[in-house]
């Protein structure tokens, strides 16, 4: 019974070694993180969350984008990009499906919000907060429509088809009169509530409430995604990403799980789009181009594909750099392009590498086994039945 | 979505099929589609060759193309061409165009060569996974595009008219102009040339061998690195030719991001015909050009061209996941 298992343990150890083969500042960080107990990890996260919440209020010097861009607004933009990158990370990082048209889902989310709240649309008007779940439902629908015919294709074909989808959404926004092309929709709704002076809390020029809302949503989404990663779906995604044929042979219904990844990614994209529409209070066809899609992808890769925290950090950076260094904002694509190339050549796993643990609680199991006196070299944990 | 459609339909019908316009414009739009299709096909060849040998979707190929287009514009404006047709004899015009074409080919091939050297070779040394290659390609595409942006700004280069419009002959009321004729004939001739090169020459045999099995090809004495560089350079040369025709067709279309969408459509053409398949690239390019044009006339707006192209791509891939002619450079028999 032990012989094959020992082999698996060695293979897993070898994988871990490989993923930690390139020492760097971040690898050390990751190792420190993995060495902590679960409660310690939660404590660190809680402190980090408080700091993140206070970011626009503190408005720290050096970090602030103030003279040129309002810092709270910068923070919301960062948060919205981080949320979008989080969604794309499910598709690209977890399931290994290259989606180059992610902006399409973002656009659909923004348009759903505009259509159901703006005075310029002839639709039934519903409160803004209800459009968030509605945007998710509509984008999931779009994700499935796009995924059903294309997810059976090979990886790079999928890339070109998704790219086409993103373009089609942008062009339809121009063509369909009900979507108002470049004129767009003014006065997109916002969450309710007024402060003591009777001004709306969620005004388009006040970043802090929007920021808190978005960060809260990010935290909820991250908790849900963390559970997903440790579930059967997450394992299926990793298996599909690593070797689709092998996964299929081992009985993983890869198509179904790929479609799931696509749908979940789409829903998060739609959600971030809806927040984007609400924050700006204006939605038209100008901001949903292929380049932005590529920026989202750059965010995921920058942070480290397959790593939630990496995606959030990557997304925030992509939004932050042009707003902070306005002198170079014009050249942001040049800079991001160069960073992407250098990253891929010298550190292709991104700033925080992906976590290659196929086995969910491998780190804890290893620690538990190595803590026992006179223990044999750690055998791999048994995968709970899936 | 249904509510949206219903609302849109109630608003005003935004999707109308104007069959009479198509019937009326059938031949002109076919000819025009073939012209653009030839340009797509030439660019698509660059994608297909590199894909066949490296299994890499070379996203930056669109920037190889736009480099060629810049070279054409710079050369011709240096030779005194401008916004009005040149006042030269046809022989002089032809000589100038050959010069511009040579400049474009050299520039595009140079950029393709550098791309391979700077970005892809280090990755091959590391045996990087495919996603890494693709993202590098996207990064390089951004870099080259924005080098042009930093250098030439966001406005298009001033138009360069290469030749007076000269009707050559007309078929049943449809006038064929000289530039159209040159583009289609030259492009198809080049593609036939590349096809023969792949099938009959020693270099072509090397390309097929590397596409089939790089390791065995190396053991059999094929210089893999040289073959890979050659495919990039051939793709660059063809993109340079495509750039000349593009400027001929769209005199004021040279702008830093002008290659991006065209590149995407060329790649779509390559996939449509079967990626890695030289004849597929020709077929896919011509089909995409013609279908896009029909869609544009039928639906009454140029916005529809790309939508139609992508929808057709998805439909074809659903039926034939490998593209129309199948996708394998390695299966080509001499």
């Amino acid at each position: 019974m032990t012989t094959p298992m020992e082999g698996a343990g060695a293979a897993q150890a070898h994988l871990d070694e490989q993923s930690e083969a390139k020492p760097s500042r971040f690898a050390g960080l990751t190792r420190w993180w993995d060495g902590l107990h679960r409660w310690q990890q939660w404590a660190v996260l809680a402190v980090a969350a408080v700091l993140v919440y206070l970011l626009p209020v503190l408005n720290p010097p050096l970090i602030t984008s103030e003279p040129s861009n309002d810092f709270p607004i910068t923070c919301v933009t960062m948060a919205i990009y981080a949320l979008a990158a989080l969604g794309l990370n499910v598709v690209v990082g977890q399931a290994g499906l290259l989606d180059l048209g992610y902006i399409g889902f973002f656009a659909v989310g923004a348009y759903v919000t505009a259509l159901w709240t703006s005075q310029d649309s002839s639709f039934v008007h519903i409160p803004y907060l209800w459009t968030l779940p509605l945007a998710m439902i509509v984008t999931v629908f779009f994700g499935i429509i796009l995924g059903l015919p294309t997810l059976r294709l090979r990886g790079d074909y999928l890339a070109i088809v998704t790219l086409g989808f993103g373009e089609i959404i942008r062009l339809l926004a121009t063509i369909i009169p009900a979507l108002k092309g470049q004129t767009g929709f003014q006065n997109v709704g916002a969450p309710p509530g007024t402060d003591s002076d009777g001004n709306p809390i969620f005004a388009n020029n006040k970043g802090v409430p929007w920021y808190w809302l978005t960060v809260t949503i990010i935290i909820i989404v991250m908790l849900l995604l963390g559970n997903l990663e440790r579930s059967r779906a997450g394992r299926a995604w990793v298996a599909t990403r690593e070797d689709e044929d092998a996964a299929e042979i081992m009985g993983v219904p890869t198509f179904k799980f790929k479609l799931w990844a696509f749908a979940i990614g789409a829903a998060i994209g739609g959600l971030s789009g809806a927040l984007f529409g609400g924050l700006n209070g204006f939605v038209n066809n100008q901001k949903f181009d292929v380049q932005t899609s590529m920026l989202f992808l750059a965010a995921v890769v920058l942070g480290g594909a397959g790593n939630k925290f990496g995606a959030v950090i990557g997304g925030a950076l992509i939004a932050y750099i042009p707003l902070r260094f306005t002198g170079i904002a014009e050249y942001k694509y040049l800079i991001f392009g160069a960073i992407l190339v250098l990253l891929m050549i010298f550190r292709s796993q991104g700033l925080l590498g992906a976590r290659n643990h196929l086995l969910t609680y491998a780190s804890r199991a290893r620690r538990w086994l190595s803590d026992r006196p006179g223990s044999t070299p750690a055998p791999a944990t048994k995968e709970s039945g899936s | 979505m249904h509510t949206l459609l219903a609302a849109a339909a109630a608003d005003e019908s935004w999707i109308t099929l104007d069959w009479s316009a198509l019937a009326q414009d059938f031949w002109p739009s076919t000819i025009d589609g073939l012209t653009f299709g030839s340009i797509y096909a030439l660019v698509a060849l660059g994608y297909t060759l590199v894909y066949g040998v490296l299994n890499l979707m070379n996203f930056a190929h669109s920037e190889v193309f736009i480099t060629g287009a810049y070279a054409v514009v710079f050369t011709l404006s240096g030779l005194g061409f401008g916004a009005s047709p040149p006042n030269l004899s046809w022989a002089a015009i032809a000589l100038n165009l050959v010069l511009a074409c040579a400049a474009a080919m050299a520039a595009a091939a140079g950029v393709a060569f550098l791309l391979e050297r700077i970005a892809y070779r280090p990755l091959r040394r590391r045996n990087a996974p495919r996603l890494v290659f693709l993202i590098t390609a996207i990064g390089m595409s951004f870099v080259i595009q924005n080098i042009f942006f930093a250098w030439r700004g966001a406005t298009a280069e001033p138009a360069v008219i290469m030749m007076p419009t000269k009707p050559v002959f007309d078929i049943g009321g449809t006038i064929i102009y000289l530039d159209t004729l040159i583009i289609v004939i030259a492009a198809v001739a080049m593609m036939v040339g590349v096809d023969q090169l792949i099938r009959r020459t020693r270099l072509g045999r090397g390309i097929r061998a590397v596409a089939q099995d790089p390791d065995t090809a190396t053991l059999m004495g094929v210089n893999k690195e040289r073959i890979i560089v050659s495919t990039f350079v051939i793709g660059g040369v063809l993109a340079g030719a495509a750039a000349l025709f593009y400027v001929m067709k769209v005199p004021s279309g040279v702008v830093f991001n002008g290659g991006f969408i065209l590149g995407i459509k060329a790649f779509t053409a390559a996939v449509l015909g079967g990626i890695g398949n030289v004849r597929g690239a020709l077929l896919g390019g011509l089909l995409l050009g013609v279908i896009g044009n029909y869609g544009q006339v039928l639906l009454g707006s140029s916005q529809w061209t790309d939508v139609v192209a992508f929808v057709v791509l998805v439909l074809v891939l659903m039926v034939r996941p490998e593209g129309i002619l199948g996708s394998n450079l390695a299966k080509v028999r001499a």
Side-chain angles (χ1 to χ4, degrees):
Chain A
M1 194 54 222
T2 51
T3 21
M5 276 304 177
E6 270 167 357
Q12 183 64 49
H14 175 66
L15 261 182
D16 292 346
E17 267 170 40
Q18 266 196 330
S19 61
E20 288 162 10
K22 289 177 193 161
S24 81
R25 210 169 301 166
F26 294 101
L29 189 74
T30 316
R31 209 171 306 131
W32 166 78
W33 178 253
D34 285 339
L36 292 178
H37 287 282
R38 199 73 182 144
W39 65 267
Q40 289 170 315
Q41 290 182 347
W42 280 112
V44 173
L45 281 180
V47 173
V50 169
L51 280 179
V52 166
Y53 269 108
L54 289 177
L55 187 64
V57 183
L58 293 173
N59 203 346
L62 274 187
I63 295 181
T64 184
S65 57
E66 204 76 292
S68 41
N69 288 303
D70 181 63
F71 187 64
I73 296 285
T74 302
C75 288
V76 200
T77 317
M78 281 161 67
I80 287 174
Y81 269 65
L83 184 60
L86 202 54
L88 185 58
N89 183 45
V90 175
V91 182
V92 176
Q94 293 289 331
L97 304 166
L98 194 64
D99 183 349
L100 299 181
Y102 194 69
I103 194 71
F105 299 131
F106 192 78
V108 169
Y111 269 106
V112 166
T113 297
L115 282 169
W116 270 278
T117 60
S118 165
Q119 62 194 21
D120 296 342
S121 116
S122 53
F123 279 36
V124 179
H125 286 195
I126 57 176
Y128 172 81
L129 286 177
W130 285 106
T131 62
L132 297 184
L134 183 68
M136 290 170 81
I137 291 165
V138 174
T139 39
V140 163
F141 176 77
F142 270 90
I144 289 174
I145 289 276
L146 173 65
L148 273 178
T150 55
L151 283 173
R152 297 189 192 279
L153 299 174
R154 303 195 329 223
D156 17 286
Y157 281 30
L158 181 71
I160 195 76
V161 172
T162 48
L163 188 67
F165 166 78
E167 275 294 284
I168 286 176
I169 294 285
R170 188 179 65 87
L171 289 164
L172 285 183
T174 313
I175 295 169
I176 300 177
L179 295 178
K180 294 201 186 297
Q182 205 169 335
T183 319
F185 296 90
Q186 303 278 1
N187 299 339
V188 176
T194 49
D195 58 14
S196 50
D197 304 341
N199 300 318
I201 293 175
F202 285 87
N204 300 128
N205 57 0
K206 283 197 282 194
V208 179
W210 282 105
Y211 176 75
W212 285 343
L213 174 71
T214 313
V215 170
T216 310
I217 289 176
I218 288 180
I219 289 175
I220 294 169
V221 167
M222 278 177 91
L223 288 174
L224 292 175
L225 285 180
N227 282 324
L228 258 179
E229 279 170 28
R230 287 189 295 272
S231 73
R232 183 180 168 204
R235 286 198 305 274
W237 288 337
V238 174
T240 309
R241 178 185 75 201
E242 298 300 324
D243 188 340
E244 193 168 333
D245 298 339
E248 189 71 55
I249 289 165
M250 296 307 281
V252 177
T254 50
F255 177 73
K256 191 178 89 176
F257 281 113
K258 284 199 286 187
L259 199 58
W260 265 112
F262 226 71
I264 290 166
I268 299 171
L271 182 61
S272 52
L275 286 165
F276 179 80
L279 167 73
N280 287 321
F282 174 66
V283 174
N284 76 349
N285 63 0
Q286 290 302 299
K287 286 196 172 146
F288 306 121
D289 50 1
V290 180
Q291 275 80 359
T292 317
S293 251
M294 302 290 178
L295 275 190
F296 286 147
L297 185 70
V300 171
V301 173
L302 187 71
N307 187 320
K308 303 192 290 294
F309 292 100
V312 168
I313 291 166
L317 275 177
I318 292 278
Y320 172 75
I321 292 170
L323 290 169
R324 166 68 178 81
F325 304 98
T326 38
I328 60 164
E330 226 185 338
Y331 303 117
K332 68 177 172 189
Y333 291 111
L334 179 60
I335 290 158
F336 287 141
I339 289 175
L340 268 189
V341 173
L342 292 174
L343 256 181
M344 287 300 108
I345 292 177
F346 295 109
R347 188 178 162 78
S348 60
Q349 68 272 47
L351 297 178
L352 307 174
R355 314 190 44 150
N356 236 333
H357 299 311
L358 286 172
L359 304 174
T360 315
Y361 289 112
S363 58
R364 187 194 293 185
R366 260 203 309 276
R367 190 181 322 120
W368 180 68
L369 285 161
S370 59
D371 285 350
R372 276 165 38 189
S375 61
T376 48
T381 45
K382 259 201 179 146
E383 204 162 344
S384 51
S386 57
Chain B
M1 186 70 202
H2 273 294
T3 38
L4 183 62
L5 286 179
D11 216 359
E12 56 197 281
S13 80
W14 51 277
I15 183 161
T16 47
L17 297 180
D18 192 349
W19 291 104
S20 64
L22 184 61
Q24 202 176 358
D25 270 351
F26 184 77
W27 287 110
S29 59
T30 306
I31 304 287
D32 196 48
L34 285 175
T35 319
F36 274 108
S38 308
I39 297 170
Y40 295 151
L42 277 177
V43 180
L45 272 178
Y47 283 109
T48 269
L49 285 172
V50 168
Y51 192 95
V53 170
L54 282 185
N55 270 333
L56 158 71
M57 181 175 161
N58 180 12
F59 237 93
H61 191 63
S62 53
E63 272 57 51
V64 169
F65 163 83
I66 206 71
T67 309
Y70 271 105
V72 169
V73 170
F74 293 156
T75 312
L76 288 179
S77 37
L79 291 166
F81 282 66
S84 53
N87 207 348
L88 301 165
S89 68
W90 284 105
I93 289 179
L95 182 68
N96 282 328
L97 291 195
V98 168
L99 273 178
C101 188
M105 284 177 173
V111 169
F113 174 79
L114 284 177
L115 255 182
E116 197 277 330
R117 247 325 127 82
I118 293 170
Y120 301 141
R121 183 168 291 190
L123 293 181
R124 278 209 312 281
R125 292 259 161 80
R126 287 162 198 266
N127 279 329
R130 293 178 63 170
L131 190 66
V132 170
F133 267 102
L134 195 64
I135 289 163
T136 309
I138 292 170
M140 282 312 282
S141 160
F142 271 30
V143 169
I144 299 172
Q145 229 181 79
N146 285 281
I147 287 173
F148 280 118
F149 173 68
W151 178 32
R152 309 296 300 177
T155 47
E157 299 294 314
V160 174
I161 307 290
M162 298 191 193
M163 56 178 79
T165 45
K166 181 171 185 240
V168 187
F169 50 82
D170 78 56
I171 310 174
T174 305
I175 300 169
I176 309 272
Y177 291 99
L178 182 63
D179 54 355
T180 310
L181 205 62
I182 290 177
I183 291 172
V184 175
I185 290 176
V188 172
M190 276 182 198
M191 277 176 270
V192 171
V194 170
D195 189 47
Q196 292 305 311
L197 181 137
I198 300 283
R199 276 158 204 271
R200 290 175 194 275
T201 64
R202 188 186 160 86
L203 172 65
R205 200 167 58 212
I207 291 176
R208 295 203 311 270
V210 174
Q212 214 161 11
D213 185 343
D215 298 339
T216 311
T218 310
L219 290 173
M220 294 292 156
V222 177
N223 184 338
K224 190 176 102 180
E225 289 297 320
R226 191 178 298 165
I227 294 289
I228 288 171
V229 171
S230 312
T231 52
F232 271 90
V233 169
I234 293 170
V237 165
L238 294 167
L244 178 80
F245 301 146
Y246 172 78
V247 180
M248 201 183 280
K249 195 76 190 144
V250 192
S252 56
V254 183
V255 62
F256 76 100
N257 58 2
F260 196 74
I261 295 291
L262 190 135
I264 289 171
K265 283 169 88 168
F267 189 82
T268 307
V271 172
L272 192 65
I275 188 107
N277 182 325
V278 175
R279 294 177 183 189
L282 172 59
L283 179 72
L286 295 180
L287 265 181
L288 201 71
V290 171
I291 290 171
N293 258 9
Y294 288 166
Q296 179 182 333
V297 174
L298 193 60
L299 294 155
S301 148
S302 62
Q303 300 275 8
W304 283 102
T305 318
D306 300 4
V307 178
V308 170
F310 282 121
V311 170
V312 166
L313 174 75
V314 173
L315 292 178
V316 169
L317 287 181
M318 280 166 74
V319 184
R320 287 191 63 89
E322 295 278 279
I324 297 173
L325 294 185
S327 64
N328 206 339
L329 191 63
K331 284 186 193 151
V332 174
R333 292 278 169 264

